[in-house]
Coordinates of all heavy atoms in Angstrom, one line a residue:
M1 N 153.0 118.7 69.3 CA 154.3 118.1 69.2 C 155.3 119.0 69.8 O 155.2 120.2 69.6 CB 154.6 117.6 67.8 CG 155.6 116.6 67.7 SD 156.0 116.0 66.1 CE 154.4 115.6 65.5
R2 N 156.3 118.6 70.5 CA 157.3 119.4 71.1 C 158.6 119.1 70.7 O 159.5 118.8 71.4 CB 157.2 119.2 72.6 CG 155.8 119.4 73.2 CD 155.9 120.5 74.2 NE 154.5 120.8 74.6 CZ 154.1 121.8 75.1 NH1 155.0 122.8 75.2 NH2 152.9 122.0 75.5
S3 N 158.9 119.3 69.4 CA 160.2 119.0 68.9 C 161.3 119.9 69.5 O 162.5 119.5 69.6 CB 160.3 119.1 67.3 OG 159.9 120.3 66.9
E4 N 160.9 121.2 69.9 CA 161.9 122.1 70.4 C 162.3 121.6 71.8 O 163.4 121.9 72.3 CB 161.3 123.5 70.6 CG 160.2 123.6 71.6 CD 158.8 123.3 71.1 OE1 158.7 122.9 70.0 OE2 157.8 123.5 71.8
Q5 N 161.6 120.7 72.5 CA 162.0 120.2 73.7 C 162.8 118.8 73.5 O 163.3 118.3 74.5 CB 160.8 119.8 74.6 CG 160.0 121.0 75.0 CD 160.7 121.8 76.1 OE1 161.6 121.3 76.8 NE2 160.5 123.1 76.1
G6 N 162.8 118.4 72.3 CA 163.5 117.2 71.9 C 162.6 115.9 72.3 O 163.1 114.8 72.3
L7 N 161.3 116.2 72.5 CA 160.4 115.1 72.8 C 159.3 115.1 71.7 O 158.2 115.6 72.0 CB 159.8 115.2 74.2 CG 160.7 115.0 75.4 CD1 160.0 115.4 76.6 CD2 161.1 113.5 75.4
D8 N 159.6 114.5 70.6 CA 158.5 114.4 69.5 C 157.4 113.4 70.0 O 156.4 113.5 69.4 CB 159.2 113.9 68.2 CG 160.1 114.9 67.6 OD1 160.0 116.1 67.8 OD2 161.1 114.5 67.0
E9 N 157.6 112.7 71.0 CA 156.6 111.7 71.5 C 155.5 112.4 72.2 O 154.5 111.8 72.5 CB 157.3 110.7 72.4 CG 158.3 109.8 71.8 CD 159.7 110.5 71.8 OE1 159.8 111.6 72.4 OE2 160.6 109.9 71.3
I10 N 155.6 113.7 72.5 CA 154.5 114.4 73.2 C 153.5 114.8 72.3 O 153.7 115.8 71.5 CB 155.1 115.5 74.1 CG1 156.0 115.0 75.1 CG2 153.9 116.3 74.7 CD1 156.6 116.2 76.0
H11 N 152.3 114.1 72.2 CA 151.2 114.5 71.3 C 150.0 113.8 72.0 O 150.1 112.9 72.8 CB 151.4 114.0 69.9 CG 151.7 112.5 69.8 ND1 150.7 111.6 69.8 CD2 152.9 111.8 69.7 CE1 151.2 110.3 69.7 NE2 152.5 110.5 69.7
V12 N 148.8 114.4 71.7 CA 147.6 113.9 72.2 C 147.5 112.4 71.9 O 147.7 111.9 70.7 CB 146.4 114.6 71.6 CG1 145.1 114.0 72.0 CG2 146.4 116.1 72.0
G13 N 147.2 111.6 72.9 CA 147.1 110.1 72.8 C 148.3 109.3 73.1 O 148.3 108.1 73.3
A14 N 149.5 110.0 73.3 CA 150.7 109.3 73.7 C 150.7 108.9 75.1 O 150.1 109.5 76.0 CB 151.9 110.3 73.4
L15 N 151.3 107.8 75.4 CA 151.4 107.2 76.8 C 152.8 107.6 77.3 O 153.8 107.2 76.7 CB 151.3 105.7 76.7 CG 151.3 105.1 78.1 CD1 150.1 105.5 79.0 CD2 151.3 103.6 78.0
L16 N 152.8 108.5 78.3 CA 154.1 109.0 78.9 C 154.2 108.6 80.3 O 153.2 108.6 81.0 CB 154.2 110.5 78.6 CG 154.1 110.9 77.2 CD1 154.1 112.5 77.1 CD2 155.2 110.4 76.3
M17 N 155.4 108.6 80.8 CA 155.7 108.5 82.3 C 156.1 109.9 82.8 O 157.0 110.6 82.2 CB 156.9 107.5 82.5 CG 157.4 107.5 83.9 SD 156.3 107.2 85.2 CE 156.1 105.5 85.1
D18 N 155.4 110.3 83.9 CA 155.7 111.5 84.5 C 156.8 111.2 85.6 O 156.5 110.5 86.6 CB 154.5 112.1 85.2 CG 154.7 113.4 85.9 OD1 155.9 113.8 86.1 OD2 153.7 114.0 86.3
K19 N 158.0 111.5 85.3 CA 159.2 111.2 86.2 C 159.0 111.8 87.6 O 159.4 111.3 88.6 CB 160.5 111.6 85.6 CG 160.8 110.9 84.3 CD 162.1 111.4 83.7 CE 161.9 112.7 83.1 NZ 163.1 113.2 82.3
R20 N 158.3 112.9 87.7 CA 158.2 113.6 89.0 C 157.2 112.9 89.8 O 157.5 112.7 91.0 CB 157.8 115.1 88.7 CG 157.5 115.8 90.0 CD 157.3 117.2 89.7 NE 158.5 117.9 90.2 CZ 158.7 119.2 90.2 NH1 157.8 120.0 89.7 NH2 159.8 119.7 90.7
S21 N 156.1 112.5 89.3 CA 155.0 111.8 90.1 C 155.1 110.3 90.1 O 154.5 109.6 91.0 CB 153.6 112.3 89.7 OG 153.3 111.7 88.4
G22 N 155.8 109.8 89.1 CA 155.9 108.3 89.0 C 154.7 107.7 88.4 O 154.5 106.5 88.4
R23 N 153.8 108.5 87.8 CA 152.5 108.1 87.2 C 152.7 108.0 85.7 O 153.4 108.8 85.0 CB 151.4 109.0 87.5 CG 151.2 109.1 89.1 CD 150.3 110.2 89.4 NE 148.9 110.0 88.9 CZ 148.0 111.0 89.0 NH1 148.2 112.1 89.6 NH2 146.8 110.7 88.5
T24 N 152.0 107.0 85.1 CA 151.9 106.9 83.6 C 150.6 107.5 83.2 O 149.5 107.3 83.8 CB 151.9 105.4 83.2 OG1 153.1 104.9 83.7 CG2 151.9 105.3 81.7
G25 N 150.6 108.3 82.1 CA 149.3 108.9 81.7 C 149.3 109.1 80.2 O 150.3 109.1 79.5
I26 N 148.1 109.3 79.7 CA 147.8 109.6 78.3 C 147.7 111.0 78.1 O 146.9 111.7 78.9 CB 146.6 108.8 77.8 CG1 146.7 107.3 78.0 CG2 146.2 109.2 76.4 CD1 145.5 106.6 77.7
V27 N 148.4 111.6 77.1 CA 148.3 113.0 76.9 C 146.9 113.4 76.3 O 146.4 112.8 75.4 CB 149.3 113.5 75.8 CG1 149.2 114.9 75.5 CG2 150.7 113.2 76.4
V28 N 146.2 114.3 77.0 CA 144.9 114.7 76.6 C 144.9 116.1 76.0 O 144.0 116.6 75.3 CB 143.8 114.6 77.7 CG1 143.6 113.1 78.1 CG2 144.2 115.4 78.9
N29 N 146.0 116.9 76.3 CA 146.1 118.3 75.8 C 147.6 118.6 75.8 O 148.3 118.5 76.9 CB 145.3 119.2 76.6 CG 145.3 120.6 76.0 OD1 146.0 120.9 75.0 ND2 144.4 121.5 76.5
D30 N 148.2 119.0 74.7 CA 149.6 119.3 74.7 C 149.8 120.8 74.3 O 150.9 121.2 73.8 CB 150.3 118.4 73.7 CG 149.8 118.5 72.2 OD1 148.8 119.2 72.0 OD2 150.5 117.9 71.4
E31 N 148.8 121.6 74.5 CA 148.9 123.1 74.3 C 149.4 123.8 75.6 O 149.1 123.4 76.6 CB 147.6 123.6 73.8 CG 146.9 123.0 72.6 CD 147.7 123.2 71.3 OE1 148.3 124.3 71.2 OE2 147.8 122.4 70.5
G32 N 150.1 124.9 75.4 CA 150.5 125.7 76.5 C 151.9 125.2 77.1 O 152.6 124.4 76.5
Q33 N 152.1 125.7 78.3 CA 153.4 125.5 79.0 C 153.5 124.1 79.6 O 154.5 123.5 79.8 CB 153.7 126.5 80.0 CG 153.8 127.9 79.5 CD 155.1 128.0 78.6 OE1 156.1 127.4 78.8 NE2 154.9 128.8 77.5
S34 N 152.3 123.5 80.0 CA 152.3 122.2 80.7 C 151.4 121.3 79.9 O 150.6 121.6 79.0 CB 151.7 122.3 82.1 OG 150.4 122.8 82.1
I35 N 151.7 120.0 80.1 CA 151.0 118.9 79.4 C 150.0 118.3 80.3 O 150.2 118.1 81.5 CB 152.0 117.8 79.0 CG1 153.2 118.4 78.2 CG2 151.3 116.7 78.2 CD1 152.8 119.1 76.9
Q36 N 148.7 118.1 79.8 CA 147.6 117.5 80.6 C 147.6 116.1 80.3 O 147.5 115.7 79.2 CB 146.3 118.2 80.3 CG 146.3 119.7 80.7 CD 145.0 120.4 80.3 OE1 144.3 119.9 79.5 NE2 144.8 121.5 80.9
L37 N 147.6 115.3 81.4 CA 147.6 113.8 81.3 C 146.4 113.3 82.0 O 145.9 113.9 83.0 CB 148.9 113.2 81.8 CG 150.2 113.7 81.1 CD1 151.1 114.3 82.1 CD2 150.8 112.5 80.4
Q38 N 146.0 112.0 81.7 CA 145.0 111.3 82.4 C 145.4 109.9 82.5 O 146.0 109.3 81.7 CB 143.7 111.4 81.6 CG 142.5 110.7 82.3 CD 141.2 110.9 81.5 OE1 141.2 111.4 80.5 NE2 140.1 110.4 82.1
P39 N 145.1 109.2 83.7 CA 145.4 107.8 83.8 C 144.8 107.0 82.7 O 143.6 107.3 82.3 CB 144.8 107.4 85.2 CG 144.7 108.7 85.9 CD 144.4 109.8 84.9
P40 N 145.5 106.0 82.3 CA 144.9 105.1 81.2 C 143.6 104.5 81.4 O 142.8 104.4 80.5 CB 146.0 104.0 81.0 CG 147.2 104.6 81.5 CD 146.8 105.5 82.6
A41 N 143.3 104.2 82.7 CA 142.1 103.5 83.0 C 141.0 104.6 83.5 O 139.9 104.2 83.9 CB 142.3 102.5 84.2
G42 N 141.3 105.8 83.3 CA 140.4 106.9 83.7 C 140.7 107.4 85.1 O 141.5 106.9 85.8
G43 N 140.0 108.5 85.4 CA 140.3 109.1 86.7 C 140.7 110.5 86.6 O 140.6 111.1 85.5
N44 N 141.1 111.1 87.7 CA 141.5 112.5 87.7 C 142.8 112.7 87.0 O 143.8 112.0 87.2 CB 141.6 113.0 89.1 CG 140.3 113.0 89.8 OD1 139.3 113.2 89.2 ND2 140.3 112.8 91.2
G45 N 142.8 113.7 86.1 CA 144.0 114.0 85.4 C 144.9 114.9 86.1 O 144.7 115.4 87.2
W46 N 146.1 115.3 85.6 CA 147.1 116.2 86.2 C 147.9 116.8 85.1 O 147.8 116.5 83.9 CB 148.0 115.4 87.2 CG 149.0 114.5 86.5 CD1 150.3 114.8 86.3 CD2 148.8 113.1 86.1 NE1 151.0 113.7 85.8 CE2 150.1 112.7 85.6 CE3 147.8 112.3 86.0 CZ2 150.3 111.4 85.0 CZ3 147.9 111.0 85.5 CH2 149.1 110.6 85.0
E47 N 148.6 117.8 85.5 CA 149.5 118.5 84.6 C 151.0 118.3 84.9 O 151.3 118.0 86.0 CB 149.3 120.0 84.7 CG 147.9 120.5 84.1 CD 147.7 122.0 84.1 OE1 148.6 122.7 84.6 OE2 146.7 122.4 83.7
A48 N 151.8 118.2 83.8 CA 153.2 118.0 84.0 C 154.0 118.9 83.0 O 153.5 119.3 82.0 CB 153.5 116.5 83.8
S49 N 155.2 119.2 83.4 CA 156.1 119.9 82.6 C 156.7 119.0 81.5 O 157.0 117.8 81.9 CB 157.2 120.6 83.4 OG 156.7 121.5 84.3
P50 N 156.9 119.5 80.3 CA 157.5 118.6 79.3 C 158.8 117.9 79.7 O 159.1 116.8 79.4 CB 157.6 119.5 78.1 CG 156.7 120.6 78.3 CD 156.6 120.8 79.8
E51 N 159.6 118.7 80.5 CA 160.9 118.1 80.9 C 160.8 117.0 81.9 O 161.7 116.2 82.2 CB 161.8 119.3 81.4 CG 161.3 120.0 82.6 CD 160.5 121.3 82.2 OE1 160.3 121.5 81.0 OE2 160.1 122.0 83.1
D52 N 159.6 116.9 82.5 CA 159.4 115.8 83.5 C 158.8 114.5 82.8 O 158.5 113.6 83.5 CB 158.4 116.3 84.6 CG 159.0 117.3 85.5 OD1 160.3 117.3 85.7 OD2 158.3 118.1 86.0
L53 N 158.6 114.6 81.5 CA 158.0 113.4 80.9 C 159.0 112.7 80.0 O 160.0 113.2 79.5 CB 156.9 114.0 80.0 CG 155.8 114.7 80.7 CD1 154.8 115.3 79.7 CD2 155.0 113.7 81.6
R54 N 158.7 111.4 79.9 CA 159.4 110.5 79.0 C 158.5 109.5 78.4 O 157.5 109.2 79.0 CB 160.6 109.8 79.7 CG 160.2 108.9 80.7 CD 161.4 108.0 81.2 NE 161.1 107.2 82.3 CZ 160.3 106.0 82.2 NH1 159.8 105.6 81.1 NH2 160.1 105.3 83.3
P55 N 158.8 108.9 77.2 CA 157.9 107.8 76.7 C 157.9 106.7 77.7 O 158.9 106.3 78.4 CB 158.6 107.4 75.4 CG 159.5 108.5 75.1 CD 159.9 109.2 76.4
A56 N 156.7 106.1 77.8 CA 156.5 104.8 78.6 C 157.3 103.7 78.0 O 157.3 103.5 76.8 CB 155.0 104.5 78.7
D57 N 158.0 103.0 78.9 CA 158.7 101.8 78.4 C 157.8 100.6 78.2 O 156.6 100.7 78.5 CB 159.9 101.4 79.3 CG 159.5 101.0 80.7 OD1 158.4 100.6 80.9 OD2 160.3 101.2 81.6
A58 N 158.3 99.5 77.8 CA 157.5 98.3 77.5 C 156.7 97.8 78.8 O 155.5 97.5 78.7 CB 158.3 97.1 77.0
R59 N 157.3 97.8 79.9 CA 156.7 97.4 81.1 C 155.5 98.3 81.5 O 154.4 97.9 81.9 CB 157.7 97.3 82.3 CG 157.1 96.9 83.6 CD 158.1 96.8 84.7 NE 158.8 98.1 84.9 CZ 158.3 99.1 85.7 NH1 157.1 99.0 86.3 NH2 158.9 100.2 85.8
E60 N 155.8 99.6 81.4 CA 154.7 100.6 81.7 C 153.6 100.6 80.7 O 152.4 100.7 81.1 CB 155.4 102.0 81.7 CG 156.4 102.1 82.9 CD 157.4 103.2 82.6 OE1 157.6 103.7 81.5 OE2 158.1 103.5 83.6
R61 N 153.9 100.3 79.5 CA 152.8 100.1 78.5 C 151.9 98.9 78.8 O 150.7 99.0 78.8 CB 153.4 100.0 77.1 CG 153.8 101.3 76.6 CD 154.1 101.3 75.0 NE 155.1 100.2 74.7 CZ 156.4 100.3 74.6 NH1 157.0 101.4 74.9 NH2 157.1 99.3 74.2
L62 N 152.5 97.8 79.2 CA 151.8 96.6 79.6 C 151.0 96.9 80.8 O 149.8 96.5 80.9 CB 152.8 95.5 79.8 CG 152.1 94.2 80.2 CD1 151.1 93.7 79.2 CD2 153.2 93.1 80.5
Q63 N 151.5 97.5 81.8 CA 150.8 97.9 83.1 C 149.5 98.8 82.7 O 148.4 98.6 83.3 CB 151.7 98.6 84.1 CG 152.7 97.7 84.8 CD 153.6 98.5 85.6 OE1 153.9 99.7 85.4 NE2 154.1 97.9 86.7
A64 N 149.7 99.7 81.8 CA 148.6 100.5 81.4 C 147.5 99.7 80.7 O 146.3 99.9 81.0 CB 149.1 101.6 80.5
K65 N 147.9 98.8 79.9 CA 146.9 97.9 79.2 C 146.1 97.1 80.2 O 144.9 96.9 80.2 CB 147.5 97.0 78.2 CG 148.0 97.7 76.9 CD 148.7 96.8 76.0 CE 149.3 97.5 74.8 NZ 150.0 96.7 73.9
V66 N 146.8 96.5 81.2 CA 146.2 95.7 82.2 C 145.3 96.5 83.1 O 144.1 96.1 83.4 CB 147.3 95.0 83.1 CG1 146.7 94.3 84.3 CG2 148.0 94.0 82.3
A67 N 145.7 97.7 83.4 CA 144.8 98.7 84.2 C 143.5 98.9 83.4 O 142.4 99.0 84.0 CB 145.5 99.9 84.5
V68 N 143.5 99.1 82.2 CA 142.4 99.4 81.3 C 141.5 98.2 81.3 O 140.2 98.3 81.5 CB 142.8 99.9 79.9 CG1 141.5 99.9 79.0 CG2 143.4 101.3 79.9
I69 N 142.0 97.0 81.1 CA 141.3 95.8 81.1 C 140.5 95.6 82.4 O 139.4 95.2 82.5 CB 142.1 94.6 80.7 CG1 142.5 94.7 79.2 CG2 141.4 93.3 80.9 CD1 143.6 93.8 78.8
N70 N 141.3 95.8 83.5 CA 140.7 95.6 84.9 C 139.6 96.6 85.1 O 138.6 96.2 85.7 CB 141.8 95.7 85.9 CG 142.7 94.5 86.0 OD1 142.3 93.4 85.4 ND2 143.9 94.7 86.5
A71 N 139.8 97.8 84.7 CA 138.8 98.8 84.9 C 137.5 98.5 84.2 O 136.4 98.6 84.7 CB 139.3 100.2 84.5
R72 N 137.7 98.0 82.9 CA 136.4 97.6 82.1 C 135.7 96.4 82.8 O 134.5 96.4 82.8 CB 136.9 97.2 80.7 CG 137.3 98.4 79.9 CD 137.7 98.0 78.5 NE 138.1 99.1 77.7 CZ 138.9 99.0 76.6 NH1 139.3 97.8 76.2 NH2 139.3 100.1 76.0
A73 N 136.5 95.5 83.3 CA 135.9 94.3 83.9 C 135.1 94.7 85.2 O 134.0 94.3 85.5 CB 137.0 93.3 84.3
R74 N 135.7 95.7 86.0 CA 135.0 96.2 87.2 C 133.7 96.9 86.8 O 132.7 96.7 87.5 CB 135.9 97.1 88.0 CG 137.0 96.4 88.8 CD 137.7 97.3 89.8 NE 138.3 98.4 89.2 CZ 139.6 98.3 88.7 NH1 140.3 97.2 88.8 NH2 140.1 99.4 88.1
R75 N 133.8 97.7 85.8 CA 132.5 98.4 85.4 C 131.4 97.4 84.9 O 130.3 97.6 85.2 CB 132.9 99.4 84.2 CG 133.5 100.6 84.7 CD 133.5 101.7 83.7 NE 134.5 101.5 82.6 CZ 135.7 101.9 82.6 NH1 136.2 102.6 83.7 NH2 136.5 101.6 81.7
R76 N 131.8 96.3 84.3 CA 130.8 95.3 83.8 C 130.2 94.6 85.0 O 128.9 94.3 85.0 CB 131.4 94.3 82.9 CG 131.5 94.8 81.5 CD 131.9 93.7 80.6 NE 133.0 94.3 79.7 CZ 134.1 93.7 79.4 NH1 134.4 92.5 79.8 NH2 135.0 94.3 78.7
R77 N 131.0 94.4 86.1 CA 130.4 93.7 87.2 C 129.5 94.6 88.0 O 128.5 94.1 88.6 CB 131.5 93.2 88.2 CG 132.2 91.9 87.7 CD 133.1 91.5 88.8 NE 134.3 92.4 88.8 CZ 135.5 92.1 88.8 NH1 135.9 90.8 88.9 NH2 136.5 93.0 88.8
I78 N 129.7 95.9 88.0 CA 128.9 96.8 88.7 C 127.5 97.0 88.0 O 126.5 97.1 88.7 CB 129.6 98.2 88.8 CG1 130.8 98.1 89.7 CG2 128.6 99.3 89.3 CD1 131.7 99.3 89.7
L79 N 127.5 97.0 86.7 CA 126.3 97.1 85.9 C 125.5 95.9 86.0 O 124.7 95.4 86.1 CB 126.6 97.5 84.5 CG 127.4 98.8 84.2 CD1 127.8 98.9 82.8 CD2 126.6 100.0 84.7

């Protein structure tokens, strides 16, 4: 948790928007100077500075849910 940054929302599992990259990601590691995120539907992760992050808004949360559902459906069709 990063209360010293004023962002109590930064914790493992939180869905955040990276303002610098425009990507939404789930926090997978919040230790150290940067935060490690991964796309909600899986894929390559990235690092972001705490000051570049904000909580995902309602639209971004919905988009993340849709991306996860679509990724699961694609995997089922492949198998």
Side-chain angles (χ1 to χ4, degrees):
M1 198 174 309
R2 304 242 176 203
S3 58
E4 69 275 6
Q5 295 290 333
L7 288 173
D8 292 331
E9 297 86 0
I10 296 179
H11 57 83
V12 173
L15 183 65
L16 302 175
M17 168 57 79
D18 181 349
K19 297 180 284 187
R20 176 170 254 185
S21 70
R23 298 167 66 185
T24 303
I26 297 172
V27 177
V28 294
N29 189 349
D30 62 353
E31 302 292 326
Q33 296 296 326
S34 61
I35 307 300
Q36 295 176 343
L37 300 124
Q38 182 175 5
N44 294 329
W46 74 98
E47 292 185 357
S49 297
E51 57 270 5
D52 291 330
L53 300 172
R54 66 167 174 76
D57 63 24
R59 181 182 57 84
E60 293 156 347
R61 288 192 305 272
L62 180 59
Q63 286 175 329
K65 288 178 185 179
V66 170
V68 169
I69 291 167
N70 287 341
R72 287 180 184 160
R74 282 191 299 274
R75 282 193 287 267
R76 277 189 229 135
R77 281 188 289 226
I78 292 172
L79 301 176

